Amino acid sequence: MAENDIELGQSPTDKKPDHPFVDSSEPESFYREARDAVHAKGEKDTSSKEPSTDGASTKPVIPPRTQKPRVRRSTDDLDPKQLEKENASLRKDYDEIRRDLRTAWRENREQSLELRDLKKQNTHLKESVRSQADPKSYKDQILSERRKFYEHVDMLEDHINHLKHQLDKTKLHMDQLTFQTREANEEKASYESKLQNLQKQNARLNEDLTECRDDILRLQPPSQIPDSKIADEYANLYQQIASWVDDEAEDSSAMETQLENIHTDKDAPQLLKTCLDSDVLRATRKHSDAEPLILRYVIQTHLHQRILADDLYLFGLDDHSIHLLRTIAHSMADLEPKRDALTIQRWRSETLQALSKIDGFQTEQQRQATVVSKDLWSALIYLLPEIASQETGWRRLHDAVVMPAVHLATNMRFSTSCYRIIPHLPRNSAGQNNVIYHPDVQRYTMLDVATQKVLRQDSVLKIAEDGRIGEHVMVIQPLLLRMQKDTNGGIALCKPTMAVKLDEPMAKRAKGVKALAGWTSSWFGGELEPSRT
C-alpha cells in the first residue's frame, strides 16, 4: 500500500505525513501524546475486561505496552547520530500506534455489524410478539395462506386434468392414424399382389405370343429366321456399342474441343461428313453433356451406312455376284409357270445361305469387315485423340461392335422376311419430329441427355399444358421393322432409342406409406401436426 493511502479505521484527515519530523505541520509532542493515550486506554480496557462465562464470543484484546513512556528531553544537546537514533525510535513508535489504531477500527467495525444483526433480531422479535399479542390477525394470516395454497392446488389439478384430456385425444388420434395406415398398407399389399399376378400373366402371354410367332415362322421354309432372334441380335448390337463407348470415352473433354472446331459438316473429316450432319452439330453446341451419345450416334450411323443399309444385297458379296443374283431374281418372275414373290424370296434365301458356306465368301466378308473397322477407328481417333496410342484398339472395336453388326446383317438377308432399319426420327403423337410429348414416352425409348437415364412411364416429369416434356436431340438406336407384304407399313421389332433434352429435370419418386403398427404415443413430444408428403 502506498504511503499516501488512507488505512482502514483512519479518517481522511488523519493522513500520515511523509516523515514524522520532516515537512510535518504537527509538533513532535502530538505523536508522543497520542501514543501515551493509546497505551493508557489499552491498560484500562485490559483491566476492566473479565473472561466470559456465558458462551459469548470474545474479541481479541490488544496487549498492553510494556515499554515505559519515553522521557522527553531537549534535542539541542544531542549530536547527529543520537538524533538519527531518536528519529528511528520515534518512527517505530509511530508504526506501533498506527497498527493499534487499525486494530481498534477493525474492532469497531465488527461491533457495528453485530449491532446491525441485533437490530434485525430485535425487529423479528417485535413482530413475533405483536402477532402473539393479536391472535385474530395471526389466524387470518394463516387462513389467507392456507386459502392461497388450496387455490394453487386446485389450479394444478385443473392443469393435470387438461393434460390428461389432451393425452386421451392424442391417443385416440393415434389409434385412428394407425388404423388408417394399416388399411392403406393392406390395400397397397392387395394391389401389389394383383399387379404381380397381372405382370406374370402379361409375361406368360408375351411368351405365348412369341412362341406363336415363331411357330408360324417355323411352318414356313427352314431358311426362315424367327423375328425374336433378329430382335435379340439387334438389341445386343446396340448394347455392345454403349458398352464400348462407356469403356473408351471416360474423358470427353478432348472430344468437346474437337467438336468445337467443326462448325459445319464441311469442316469434318471425310469419314465423319456423313455422320455429323447439321442437326447433330447443332446438338453438340447446344448440349454439353451429349458427347457419349454423339459417339454412339456416329458408330451406329457408320454401321448402318456400311453394313446394315437396306440397299446392300449381302455384306461381303462382290458387285458382280450381286448383279447376277438380282438379274436372276427379276427373270424368275417371267418364267412359266409364274413364280410368286414368296417363291423368289425363298430362292434368294437359300442361295445366299449356300454362298455363305464358300470359303472365298467368308474371307472376303472378313476383309471388308476389317476395312470398316479401321475406317471407323480412324474416325473415332479424330473425336478421341487419347485412343490413338492403342495399337490394337481397332481390333477390340472390330470384335465387339463390327462383327456383331455383320452377323446381324447376314441373318437379316438370309430370312425370307424383309427387314428395314429406320435411322431418322419418326413423327411424334402431334405430328412433329423435334418436340417430345408425354405420350411419346410409351412409344419410344428415351435417354435424358443431362443424366443419361432412361425415361419410364412412372418417371416424375414436368408436363406442360400441351403435354410437351422436352425436345429431340438425336436417334442413337434406330427403329427396326419387319415389313408386311400387303401394306406399306411394318411391325416394330425394336423401339427406337433417342436422346432428349427435358424442359425440366426429372424429380425423385415419392416413397410409399410406411407401416405405423409399432407406433406409440411416446413418439410424440407435443401436439400432432398434419402429415407432410
Side-chain angles (χ1 to χ4, degrees):
M1 182 179 294
E3 290 293 331
N4 294 331
D5 293 341
I6 300 173
E7 299 293 340
L8 180 63
Q10 183 178 1
S11 175
T13 59
D14 297 339
K15 184 177 180 183
K16 176 184 175 182
D18 296 335
H19 194 273
F21 297 104
V22 181
D23 294 335
S24 176
S25 61
E26 297 292 339
E28 178 184 358
S29 59
F30 172 78
Y31 299 101
R32 294 182 181 274
E33 292 174 359
R35 182 191 61 189
D36 297 339
V38 172
H39 290 173
K41 184 177 179 301
E43 293 176 356
K44 182 178 179 180
D45 293 340
T46 305
S47 61
S48 61
K49 288 186 179 181
E50 295 181 356
S52 178
T53 58
D54 54 356
S57 62
T58 59
K59 300 295 180 178
V61 180
I62 301 176
R65 293 178 57 85
T66 58
Q67 184 178 1
K68 294 181 180 181
R70 183 185 301 273
V71 179
R72 183 176 180 183
R73 59 180 178 175
S74 177
T75 59
D76 297 336
D77 55 349
L78 296 178
D79 57 4
K81 291 184 179 180
Q82 291 177 350
L83 287 174
E84 289 180 0
K85 290 182 181 180
E86 185 71 16
N87 184 19
S89 176
L90 290 175
R91 182 178 295 179
K92 182 177 179 181
D93 293 341
Y94 173 79
D95 293 338
E96 291 177 358
I97 293 171
R98 190 178 177 193
R99 183 168 55 255
D100 295 341
L101 287 175
R102 191 180 302 143
T103 304
W105 273 97
R106 190 180 298 112
E107 290 179 359
N108 188 16
R109 185 176 180 182
E110 292 177 356
Q111 290 175 1
S112 299
L113 295 176
E114 288 182 357
L115 180 60
R116 186 189 61 184
D117 295 339
L118 290 174
K119 287 182 179 181
K120 290 182 179 179
Q121 293 178 7
N122 189 19
T123 303
H124 290 310
L125 290 175
K126 286 181 179 180
E127 292 178 356
S128 177
V129 170
R130 189 181 298 111
S131 62
Q132 292 178 2
D134 191 1
K136 185 177 180 180
S137 60
Y138 180 70
K139 184 177 181 180
D140 293 340
Q141 184 179 1
I142 293 177
L143 292 176
S144 176
E145 295 294 334
R146 183 178 300 172
R147 184 167 52 253
K148 291 180 181 179
F149 174 75
Y150 287 155
E151 290 177 356
H152 185 67
V153 171
D154 293 337
M155 183 181 66
L156 291 178
E157 289 179 352
D158 293 339
H159 187 63
I160 291 172
N161 293 331
H162 175 71
L163 293 178
K164 288 182 179 179
H165 180 66
Q166 292 295 328
L167 179 60
D168 294 337
K169 289 176 60 177
T170 302
K171 288 182 178 180
L172 179 61
H173 188 61
M174 182 67 154
D175 295 337
Q176 293 177 355
L177 287 178
T178 304
F179 179 74
Q180 293 176 2
T181 304
R182 287 176 179 174
E183 287 186 344
N185 289 334
E186 291 176 358
E187 187 175 0
K188 178 185 175 183
S190 176
Y191 284 135
E192 288 179 350
S193 177
K194 292 180 181 179
L195 179 61
Q196 291 177 358
N197 293 332
L198 292 175
Q199 288 176 348
K200 292 179 180 179
Q201 293 178 6
N202 188 25
R204 287 197 297 269
L205 291 175
N206 287 332
E207 292 176 358
D208 295 340
L209 179 60
T210 303
E211 291 179 0
C212 290
R213 289 177 178 176
D214 294 343
D215 292 340
I216 292 174
L217 294 176
R218 290 189 187 97
L219 294 176
Q220 297 180 6
S223 60
Q224 178 63 33
I225 297 177
D227 288 345
S228 58
K229 183 177 181 180
I230 299 295
D232 291 342
E233 291 182 0
Y234 185 80
N236 181 66
L237 170 62
Y238 286 93
Q239 289 179 1
Q240 293 291 336
I241 294 175
S243 299
W244 187 89
V245 171
D246 293 339
D247 294 340
E248 299 294 336
E250 296 181 356
D251 184 11
S252 59
S253 59
M255 178 179 174
E256 184 178 357
T257 303
Q258 294 295 100
L259 290 175
E260 289 178 354
N261 299 328
I262 303 176
H263 302 286
T264 62
D265 52 356
K266 296 180 180 180
D267 300 332
Q270 186 64 33
L271 294 174
L272 291 175
K273 285 185 178 180
T274 57
C275 301
L276 298 178
D277 54 12
S278 59
D279 294 336
V280 177
L281 292 176
R282 183 168 55 254
T284 59
R285 292 189 292 270
K286 191 174 181 181
H287 308 289
S288 59
D289 299 330
E291 286 82 4
L293 301 180
I294 293 173
L295 280 177
R296 293 171 62 175
Y297 175 82
V298 170
I299 294 175
Q300 68 91 5
T301 303
H302 196 86
L303 294 179
H304 180 264
Q305 294 173 353
R306 301 284 296 272
I307 299 176
L308 299 172
D310 297 333
D311 56 351
L312 288 179
Y313 198 81
L314 180 64
F315 181 77
L317 197 62
D318 59 280
D319 295 338
H320 176 73
S321 300
I322 291 174
H323 178 72
L324 178 62
L325 292 176
R326 282 179 173 172
T327 302
I328 295 174
H330 287 299
S331 301
M332 290 181 66
D334 299 332
L335 294 177
E336 295 293 340
K338 295 291 184 180
R339 268 71 169 175
D340 57 4
L342 180 60
T343 301
I344 297 175
Q345 290 175 0
R346 290 174 179 174
W347 171 83
R348 177 180 60 82
S349 175
E350 292 176 354
T351 302
L352 293 179
Q353 291 186 48
L355 286 175
S356 65
K357 303 298 182 182
I358 301 175
D359 295 337
F361 171 78
Q362 295 179 358
T363 302
E364 179 63 18
Q365 189 181 59
Q366 184 67 30
R367 186 191 67 81
Q368 293 185 17
T370 302
V371 173
V372 172
S373 299
K374 292 182 177 180
D375 291 344
L376 179 57
W377 180 256
S378 300
L380 293 175
I381 286 178
Y382 179 83
L383 297 177
L384 298 173
E386 65 270 12
I387 67 175
S389 59
Q390 302 177 11
E391 297 180 358
T392 60
W394 73 271
R395 176 63 65 181
R396 292 197 303 272
L397 179 67
H398 176 82
D399 296 337
V401 176
V402 177
M403 287 310 297
V406 172
H407 191 266
L408 172 63
T410 303
N411 287 336
M412 290 171 63
R413 300 300 179 264
F414 285 171
S415 176
T416 57
S417 299
C418 180
Y419 298 99
R420 289 191 61 189
I421 296 177
I422 311 298
H424 58 79
L425 175 68
R427 294 188 178 274
N428 54 24
S429 57
Q432 301 176 352
N433 59 359
N434 60 344
V435 180
I436 303 299
Y437 294 91
H438 189 258
D440 298 330
V441 177
Q442 187 175 1
R443 297 176 58 193
Y444 313 125
T445 301
M446 299 183 183
L447 282 176
D448 183 17
V449 174
T451 61
Q452 307 290 321
K453 293 183 179 180
V454 179
L455 303 187
R456 305 183 185 277
Q457 297 182 12
D458 57 347
S459 298
V460 183
L461 303 174
K462 178 68 174 180
I463 305 175
E465 294 181 356
D466 58 350
R468 172 190 169 109
I469 61 174
E471 61 180 7
H472 165 262
V473 178
M474 69 186 73
V475 177
I476 57 177
Q477 178 177 331
L479 171 66
L480 176 62
L481 292 177
R482 179 172 63 82
M483 306 305 295
Q484 294 179 341
K485 300 178 178 63
D486 300 332
T487 61
N488 293 329
I491 299 175
L493 301 182
C494 288
K495 295 191 299 183
T497 300
M498 62 183 68
V500 298
K501 177 67 170 68
L502 297 177
D503 294 336
E504 296 290 340
M506 282 191 298
K508 295 183 179 180
R509 297 188 184 95
K511 297 183 179 180
V513 180
K514 295 184 178 180
L516 297 178
W519 283 17
T520 61
S521 58
S522 62
W523 288 25
F524 295 92
E527 295 291 337
L528 290 177
E529 297 181 356
S531 60
R532 299 176 182 175
T533 58

